[in-house]
C-alpha cells in the first residue's frame, strides 16, 4: 500500500481524497496557491507546499512545480482529483516518468477519452450506439454536406471539448458557418485542438451517465447510473441516482454498454461513460476519464467508496466486487452549491462571514470552505456539494428541501434559491426532466419569487446563528478591511521563498 499520496488539486475534492487516504492509513500531501493560503485542504493534509500564485497556470496547472513538490515530499503516488490536470495525458505520463503512480487511467485511455472523435470511433467499434454524426471535419463544405445529411438542428462540437465548451447549435444552414467558426475557435483556445465534428442535435434528451470501475487485471464493473439532466449552458447543477426514468432492465442495458466501452479501450480506475437518452434509446456522448463531481450519490446508493477504490486499483489490487455484488438502495440527490447569482448564474467571489452547514439524517456536505474563507475569483465558483438521501425519491427531495432551508452562507450570493425553486417544481417532483428543463420551466422567474420569500427567512436564521456583538454592516466593513490587507500581503514569507526557489529551478 502507498505510504504517502500527493493530491494535485484544491477545495472539496482535495479534502475528499485526503479523507480516503486517512481511512486507508496513508499520509496526504497538499499543494496550494497564494489564493489558498487559508484553504481547508491545506491544513487538513499531513503536509502542505506552496506551488505558485493564484493563476492556475502558475500553480494547479504547473506540472513541473507539482512534480518538484512530489519529489521533495517523497510521495508514492499522485491523485489529480477532477478539473485542472485530471484529464491531462501529459501529466499522467510525467508522473510515471518521475516514478510516481498516477491514480487514474492510463495516458492512452485519457487521450482516447479526451477526443470525442476518437472515443466515438472506439464506441462504434465496440457496438455501443452513438448519436448520428460525422467524422472529423476539415472544411466548412464538409460540414455543410453532413448537416444536410443529418438534418437540422445540428450540434457543432470541438473534439477536445468538455463541460459544454465548444458546443454550438445550428438550427438552419444560415447559422452553420458561424457555428463552425466559433466551435473551431473555442476548441483551439481552450483545448489546443481545433478538430470539430457534427452531431444530430437531440432537442430534449435526458443526460444519463454510468460509473465504471476497472482494475489492472481486466475486470470491469458498473455502479449504476446517475441522472444529470438539470443543467444550464451544458453545465450540471443537480444530479440524482438512480434516474427516475431507468428501470432494472434499462439499468442492465446501459450498464452493459458502459462496461463494453470500457473494455474496448482498456480502461482502468474510475471513469464515467455519458449517454443521452431519448425515445427509449441510449446514445453514447463522451467519456470522463476521472473522478466525477457527482460520484457522491453513487457512493451513497451503493455503499461503495469510489475514491478508496481508485487508490486501491492504482496500487495494483483487483476489484473486490463482482457485478452481482453491486446492489442499490434508496435514492440520492446532489445539488452543487455555487457562489453565483441564482437568476443569471454570474459567478461571485468574496469572503464568507458566516457559515452553517445543514445536517440531520440523510444529509451529506462535501466542502472545502469555512467561515472567514475568501472564495477566489480565479477558480470555479462551487462552494460545496449538498447531498440528500432517502429510501424513496420523494423522501430524498423532502430532505433536500429541508437541508437547503438550513444552509446558511453569509457574505457571498449563492444559487441556493435556484435549487429550492427546482426542488419545488411539480414537473421535477414527477421526474419529468430533460436537458432543457431549466429553460422550459422558466426556473429563473420562479427563483425571483422564491428570493422574496427566502431572503427574510434567511435573515432570521442568520440572526439566530450569528454569535457576534457586531452588526451585519460592521462585519462587512471588517471583512473589507481584511480583504484589503490580504491583497497587500498576497504572498507571505514562505511563499516568497518558494517563488525564489522555483525561479532558480526554472
Amino acid at each position: 500500500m502507498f505510504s504517502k499520496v500527493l493530491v494535485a488539486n484544491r477545495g472539496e475534492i482535495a479534502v475528499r481524497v485526503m479523507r480516503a487516504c486517512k481511512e486507508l492509513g496513508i499520509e496526504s500531501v497538499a499543494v496550494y496557491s497564494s489564493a489558498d493560503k487559508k484553504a481547508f485542504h491545506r491544513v487538513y493534509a499531513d503536509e502542505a507546499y506552496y506551488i505558485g500564485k493564484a493563476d492556475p497556470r502558475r500553480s494547479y496547472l504547473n506540472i513541473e512545480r507539482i512534480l518538484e513538490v512530489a519529489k521533495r515530499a517523497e510521495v508514492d503516488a499522485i491523485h489529480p482529483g477532477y478539473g485542472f490536470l485530471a484529464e491531462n495525458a501529459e501529466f499522467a505520463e510525467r508522473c510515471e516518468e518521475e516514478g510516481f503512480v498516477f491514480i487514474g487511467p492510463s495516458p492512452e485511455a485519457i487521450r482516447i477519452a479526451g477526443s470525442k472523435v476518437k472515443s466515438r470511433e472506439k464506441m462504434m467499434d465496440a457496438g455501443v450506439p452513438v448519436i448520428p454524426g460525422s467524422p472529423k471535419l476539415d472544411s466548412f463544405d464538409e460540414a455543410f454536406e453532413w448537416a444536410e445529411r443529418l438534418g437540422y438542428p445540428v450540434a457543432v462540437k470541438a473534439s477536445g471539448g468538455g463541460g459544454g465548451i465548444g458546443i454550438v447549435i445550428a438550427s438552419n444552414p444560415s447559422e452553420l458557418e458561424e457555428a463552425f467558426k466559433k466551435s473551431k475557435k473555442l476548441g483551439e483556445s481552450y483545448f489546443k485542438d481545433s478538430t470539430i465534428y457534427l452531431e444530430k442535435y437531440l432537442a430534449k434528451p435526458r443526460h444519463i451517465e454510468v460509473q465504471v470501475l476497472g482494475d489492472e487485471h481486466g475486470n470491469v464493473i458498473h455502479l449504476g447510473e446517475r441522472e444529470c439532466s438539470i443543467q444550464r449552458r451544458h453545465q450540471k447543477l443537480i444530479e440524482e441516482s438512480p434516474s427516475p426514468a431507468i428501470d432494472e432492465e434499462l439499468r442492465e442495458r446501459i450498464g452493459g454498454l458502459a462496461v463494453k466501452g470500457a473494455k474496448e479501450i482498456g480502461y482502468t480506475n474510475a471513469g464515467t461513460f455519458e449517454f443521452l437518452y431519448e425515445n427509449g434509446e441510449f446514445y453514447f456522448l463522451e467519456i470522463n476519464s476521472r473522478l466525477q463531481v457527482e460520484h457522491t450519490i453513487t457512493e451513497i446508493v451503493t455503499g461503495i467508496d469510489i475514491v478508496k477504490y481508485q487508490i486501491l486499483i492504482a496500487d495494483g489490487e483487483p476489484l473486490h466486487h463482482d457485478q452481482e455484488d453491486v446492489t442499490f438502495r434508496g435514492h440520492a440527490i446532489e445539488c452543487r452549491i455555487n457562489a453565483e447569482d441564482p437568476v443569471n448564474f454570474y459567478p461571485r467571489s468574496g469572503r464568507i462571514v458566516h457559515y452553517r452547514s445543514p445536517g440531520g439524517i440523510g444529509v451529506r456536505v462535501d466542502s472545502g470552505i469555512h467561515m472567514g474563507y475568501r472564495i477566489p475569483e480565479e477558480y470555479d465558483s462551487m462552494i460545496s456539494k449538498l447531498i440528500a438521501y432517502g429510501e424513496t425519491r420523494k423522501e430524498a427531495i423532502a430532505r433536500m428541501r429541508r437541508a437547503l432551508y438550513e444552509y446558511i452562507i453569509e457574505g457571498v450570493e449563492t444559487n441556493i434559491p435556484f435549487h429550492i425553486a427546482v426542488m419545488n417544481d411539480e414537473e421535477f417532483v414527477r421526474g419529468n426532466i430533460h436537458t432543457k428543463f431549466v429553460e422550459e420551466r422558466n426556473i429563473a422567474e420562479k427563483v425571483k419569487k422564491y428570493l422574496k420569500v427566502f431572503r427574510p427567512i434567511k435573515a432570521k436564521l442568520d440572526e439566530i446563528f450569528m454569535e457576534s456583538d457586531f452588526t451585519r454592516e460592521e462585519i462587512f466593513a471588517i471583512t473589507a478591511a481584511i480583504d484589503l490587507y490580504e491583497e497587500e500581503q498576497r504572498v507571505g514569507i514562505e511563499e516568497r521563498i518558494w517563488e525564489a526557489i522555483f525561479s532558480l529551478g526554472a
Side-chain angles (χ1 to χ4, degrees):
M1 177 58 66
F2 304 130
S3 62
K4 191 184 290 187
V5 169
L6 183 147
V7 184
N9 217 296
R10 63 180 297 278
E12 65 85 16
I13 191 56
V15 175
R16 171 68 187 90
V17 176
M18 291 169 190
R19 283 173 170 160
C21 288
K22 193 171 289 290
E23 291 183 19
L24 289 169
I26 300 170
E27 292 183 14
S28 60
V29 175
V31 292
Y32 66 95
S33 71
S34 59
D36 280 334
K37 290 189 294 181
K38 296 185 178 180
F40 183 58
H41 79 277
R42 176 189 178 182
V43 297
Y44 188 86
D46 295 292
E47 299 176 30
Y49 296 83
Y50 173 74
I51 54 168
K53 294 185 177 179
D55 182 345
R57 292 170 298 180
R58 302 185 68 178
S59 51
Y60 299 108
L61 290 174
N62 193 321
I63 293 175
E64 297 309 318
R65 287 199 174 185
I66 290 171
L67 291 175
E68 181 65 32
V69 169
K71 293 173 189 175
R72 178 181 174 85
E74 298 181 332
V75 304
D76 305 304
I78 298 176
H79 194 302
Y82 56 69
F84 295 126
L85 295 170
E87 294 175 283
N88 187 308
E90 180 190 350
F91 180 54
E93 283 181 338
R94 291 285 288 113
C95 288
E96 292 177 0
E97 288 170 2
E98 297 295 338
F100 306 115
V101 175
F102 179 78
I103 302 177
S106 67
E108 181 183 0
I110 293 174
R111 286 196 172 91
I112 293 171
S115 167
K116 289 182 170 59
V117 170
K118 287 182 182 177
S119 59
R120 276 173 57 89
E121 291 172 352
K122 287 289 186 180
M123 292 307 102
M124 287 189 285
D125 290 343
V128 177
V130 301
I131 301 171
S134 74
K136 70 174 183 176
L137 301 169
D138 296 318
S139 68
F140 172 71
D141 289 339
E142 285 184 324
F144 182 80
E145 291 175 7
W146 272 98
E148 292 293 311
R149 189 182 309 179
L150 294 169
Y152 291 92
V154 293
V156 186
K157 291 189 170 186
S159 178
I165 299 172
I167 301 175
V168 187
I169 310 305
S171 300
N172 52 61
S174 63
E175 295 178 359
L176 183 62
E177 186 169 8
E178 181 60 30
F180 179 88
K181 292 177 180 177
K182 186 175 180 180
S183 181
K184 199 173 187 67
K185 185 176 180 180
L186 287 168
E188 177 61 36
S189 299
Y190 282 89
F191 311 105
K192 297 181 181 178
D193 181 0
S194 61
T195 304
I196 61 171
Y197 68 103
L198 257 62
E199 278 184 350
K200 175 66 180 174
Y201 182 66
L202 303 182
K204 294 194 295 185
R206 287 177 177 264
H207 189 143
I208 310 291
E209 63 186 29
V210 180
Q211 177 73 60
V212 300
L213 291 172
D215 63 25
E216 296 174 0
H217 307 276
N219 305 305
V220 182
I221 61 172
H222 73 83
L223 304 183
E225 84 287 350
R226 298 185 286 255
E227 170 104 33
C228 308
S229 297
I230 305 298
Q231 308 175 0
R232 53 101 172 95
R233 303 173 194 147
H234 305 289
Q235 295 284 339
K236 302 168 187 174
L237 289 170
I238 299 172
E239 302 96 352
E240 57 183 303
S241 183
S243 164
I246 304 299
D247 58 20
E248 196 61 45
E249 182 180 346
L250 286 174
R251 180 170 301 112
E252 186 175 341
R253 180 176 155 202
I254 192 174
L257 291 174
V259 169
K260 185 185 293 186
K263 288 183 175 180
E264 175 69 23
I265 64 173
Y267 195 92
T268 57
N269 215 271
T272 301
F273 283 67
E274 304 204 354
F275 297 83
L276 294 181
Y277 178 63
E278 189 174 76
N279 299 323
E281 296 296 329
F282 292 110
Y283 301 98
F284 169 78
L285 181 63
E286 64 183 7
I287 305 167
N288 284 288
S289 55
R290 55 170 168 80
L291 186 67
Q292 290 280 88
V293 174
E294 59 273 20
H295 73 278
T296 55
I297 52 177
T298 297
E299 290 182 327
I300 287 175
V301 297
T302 63
I304 293 174
D305 188 320
I306 295 171
V307 180
K308 276 189 187 176
Y309 242 140
Q310 284 192 290
I311 296 168
L312 295 173
I313 290 169
D315 195 43
E317 289 198 27
L319 293 175
H320 301 165
H321 293 77
D322 293 324
Q323 191 62 61
E324 56 268 25
D325 299 324
V326 180
T327 58
F328 307 94
R329 181 184 174 213
H331 200 96
I333 301 173
E334 175 182 280
C335 289
R336 301 189 186 195
I337 308 300
N338 298 333
E340 63 186 20
D341 185 303
V343 177
N344 58 34
F345 304 116
Y346 294 145
R348 296 285 190 255
S349 61
R351 186 177 301 281
I352 296 174
V353 298
H354 188 72
Y355 181 82
R356 185 181 190 277
S357 60
I361 188 170
V363 174
R364 167 178 167 177
V365 180
D366 279 24
S367 77
I369 56 94
H370 51 81
M371 193 163 69
Y373 177 68
R374 180 173 179 78
I375 298 171
E377 61 186 16
E378 292 88 354
Y379 310 125
D380 184 86
S381 64
M382 189 169 71
I383 294 174
S384 66
K385 302 183 304 198
L386 176 60
I387 304 101
Y389 169 82
E391 289 291 329
T392 64
R393 186 172 186 267
K394 181 179 179 181
E395 185 175 57
I397 292 172
R399 283 202 174 130
M400 182 60 79
R401 288 174 184 159
R402 186 261 295 170
L404 289 165
Y405 175 82
E406 291 180 10
Y407 212 163
I408 306 301
I409 302 173
E410 184 76 20
V412 292
E413 196 169 21
T414 75
N415 64 347
I416 288 176
F418 167 86
H419 291 297
I420 292 174
V422 173
M423 290 299 135
N424 284 281
D425 182 272
E426 55 269 27
E427 288 303 306
F428 176 83
V429 173
R430 292 190 185 103
N432 297 330
I433 56 181
H434 49 78
T435 56
K436 298 297 179 221
F437 177 89
V438 172
E439 296 85 356
E440 185 176 278
R441 297 295 296 167
N442 201 8
I443 297 298
E445 287 303 312
K446 294 181 180 182
V447 169
K448 293 176 184 177
K449 295 178 182 178
Y450 276 102
L451 278 171
K452 294 178 181 178
V453 177
F454 180 71
R455 279 178 174 154
I457 294 173
K458 182 176 180 294
K460 289 181 180 179
L461 289 170
D462 288 345
E463 291 176 11
I464 294 170
F465 297 123
M466 187 170 292
E467 298 177 1
S468 173
D469 294 330
F470 295 107
T471 65
R472 182 174 303 182
E473 290 73 22
E474 288 171 331
I475 289 172
F476 278 109
I478 292 168
T479 56
I482 293 171
D483 289 344
L484 180 61
Y485 174 78
E486 286 197 349
E487 186 61 34
E488 292 173 347
Q489 306 293 323
R490 193 68 168 174
V491 180
I493 296 298
E494 178 188 353
E495 286 80 1
R496 291 183 191 280
I497 292 171
W498 274 101
E499 283 289 353
I501 291 171
F502 284 128
S503 297
L504 290 171

